[in-house]
Amino acid sequence: MQKKRAVALQQEWGGKPCDHPAFAREYDLGARTGNFICTQCGKTVTFREKAEIVGARPPEDTAE
Ligand SMILES: [Zn+2]
């Protein structure tokens, strides 16, 4: 996701609480920044922050 898009998302989201259900790689002018963006609220997190957020979740039920 482009950084510009993330800023627009943040404005649309309006600072509400978010549990960051999904992340996309952050791009700036076509280059990867190494950071990730929450696709719901537009928050930018580092790789490490993303790992902590994802790792803090209970394991998903993979039974089908
Ligand atoms: Zn979020």
Side-chain angles (χ1 to χ4, degrees):
M1 184 187 298
Q2 292 292 327
K3 213 166 183 172
K4 256 174 94 172
R5 174 74 186 126
V7 172
L9 260 183
Q10 284 171 30
Q11 286 170 354
E12 284 171 31
W13 189 248
K16 288 174 285 186
C18 175
D19 58 1
H20 313 310
F23 292 95
R25 288 193 182 91
E26 182 187 71
Y27 289 83
D28 192 15
L29 303 175
R32 276 172 64 174
T33 65
N35 293 331
F36 290 81
I37 295 166
C38 172
T39 58
Q40 181 165 268
C41 71
K43 180 183 167 65
T44 300
V45 299
T46 62
F47 179 84
R48 188 174 174 161
E49 285 169 333
K50 171 184 169 282
E52 283 173 5
I53 291 166
V54 172
R57 287 189 191 141
E60 282 182 31
D61 184 359
T62 53
E64 286 179 20

